[in-house]
Amino acid sequence: MPLIDIGANLTHDSFDRDRDAVLARARDAGVATMIVTGASREHSPRALELAQAHPGLLYATAGVHPHHALEYTDECDAEMRALLAHPQVVAVGECGLDYFRDFSPRPAQRRAFERQLQIAADLADRGDAKPLFLHQRDAHDDFVAIMKDFEGRIGAAVVHCFTGGRRELFDCLDRDWHIGITGWLCDERRGAHLRELVPSIPAHRLMVETDAPYLLPRTLKPSPKDRRNEPAFLPHIVEALARDRGEDVGTTAAQTTATATAFFRLA
Ligand SMILES: [Zn+2]
């Protein structure tokens, strides 16, 4: 069953030396489609370039991660809008709030997030709605409040790399947001609570991602020496997810692929 990695940071420089081999290994492992995360002014156009070089295999998102919130100028906003006019750019983001690392001042994070939500609202208004690829860490209440301001004006949304608790999960599901699950699930220290929560996520809200090159699944054997994660490891995450959900791996694979195909309008 072909898999879809909904979050792969394939423009990251750790892939510069062997990007084609990484893509070939992903395909061999059954990862038929990867959504290349665009998370900054520098990397969003590169995500689109990569998708254009590999049509059908790769798609891109365009956005500015909260870590880069200070670069969100009017020019940056115009650049994101131009990228999002392209059919191979399938989602707005990565955008959101990160109060865990606080690499950018929180008011700047909120402003950059709101401006990208406004792009999503404008696209929906024009009949070209694109889903949102969202990042939230330690900022749940502000995140929900800002999203509420755009309720009814934006398309579908996925909270990628979900690592929160039960209240956060049900807040997301109550608002019909989708959930992206990464190899965080395979972390025996930090992922235990998540393993108990994943059976509660309805199949039509659940998608999978590596967040490569980050978040190498800790249970992967053998583990690559350089600790770099890559999309070829997605089946390992799907196996862990299927086990925790108490379903066979073919079911989890088929359902997450169907959900991602519909969410990103890939078919
Ligand atoms: Zn993220």
Side-chain angles (χ1 to χ4, degrees):
M1 175 54 64
L3 297 173
I4 300 178
D5 186 347
I6 69 154
N9 300 277
L10 290 171
T11 63
H12 192 275
D13 55 14
S14 66
F15 294 118
D16 285 352
R17 58 187 160 84
D18 63 346
R19 194 168 277 106
D20 285 340
V22 167
L23 295 180
R25 280 197 293 275
R27 256 193 312 241
D28 290 348
V31 182
T33 307
M34 290 154 265
I35 315 288
V36 183
T37 308
S40 69
R41 213 174 155 178
E42 182 193 348
H43 284 268
S44 290
R46 286 167 57 183
L48 173 57
E49 279 169 32
L50 205 52
Q52 285 176 315
H54 302 274
L57 179 66
L58 303 182
Y59 296 87
T61 75
V64 174
H65 190 283
H67 291 347
H68 301 283
L70 287 175
E71 71 184 35
Y72 208 94
T73 57
D74 288 343
E75 298 76 51
C76 176
D77 191 76
E79 287 163 18
M80 293 305 137
R81 287 175 185 271
L83 289 171
L84 281 154
H86 198 286
Q88 277 166 281
V89 178
V90 292
V92 182
E94 177 172 5
C95 61
L97 300 174
D98 193 313
Y99 293 176
F100 176 68
R101 301 224 187 259
D102 271 330
F103 284 160
S104 307
R106 293 180 182 185
Q109 291 191 34
R110 289 191 285 267
R111 229 172 6 251
F113 184 28
E114 285 165 349
R115 293 201 69 175
Q116 292 173 85
L117 290 171
Q118 186 60 51
I119 297 178
D122 290 345
L123 287 169
D125 213 32
R126 287 207 300 272
D128 183 28
K130 292 193 176 182
L132 281 149
F133 188 83
L134 301 171
H135 174 104
Q136 187 280 113
R137 199 141 174 229
D138 284 5
H140 180 73
D141 291 339
D142 276 9
F143 179 86
V144 168
I146 290 173
M147 288 290 284
K148 192 167 171 37
D149 287 339
F150 288 85
E151 211 170 66
R153 295 198 282 137
I154 52 178
V158 60
V159 179
H160 110 98
C161 190
F162 182 85
T163 58
R166 179 170 298 274
R167 179 179 75 93
E168 294 184 15
L169 177 64
F170 281 92
D171 275 355
C172 293
L173 294 175
D174 285 350
R175 288 163 177 78
D176 285 339
W177 299 339
H178 292 66
I179 303 292
I181 293 293
T182 62
W184 192 279
L185 200 63
C186 307
D187 187 322
E188 74 284 0
R189 305 159 306 170
R190 301 185 298 179
H193 74 285
L194 200 56
R195 297 186 54 185
E196 287 172 23
L197 289 178
V198 290
S200 302
I201 306 171
H204 68 291
R205 293 280 177 261
L206 176 65
M207 296 182 277
V208 288
E209 49 175 331
T210 57
D211 205 22
Y214 314 113
L215 298 179
L216 180 73
R218 287 174 59 85
T219 47
L220 190 72
K221 299 263 183 327
S223 193
K225 281 194 188 64
D226 61 4
R227 312 295 302 159
R228 184 186 68 177
N229 195 8
E230 60 175 74
F233 302 147
L234 187 64
H236 182 81
I237 296 168
V238 174
E239 282 165 26
L241 180 59
R243 181 198 61 217
D244 293 340
R245 284 171 65 79
E247 59 195 23
D248 69 77
V249 68
T251 300
T252 309
Q255 289 179 336
T256 54
T257 293
T259 300
T261 302
F263 180 84
F264 292 104
R265 305 177 182 203
L266 302 182

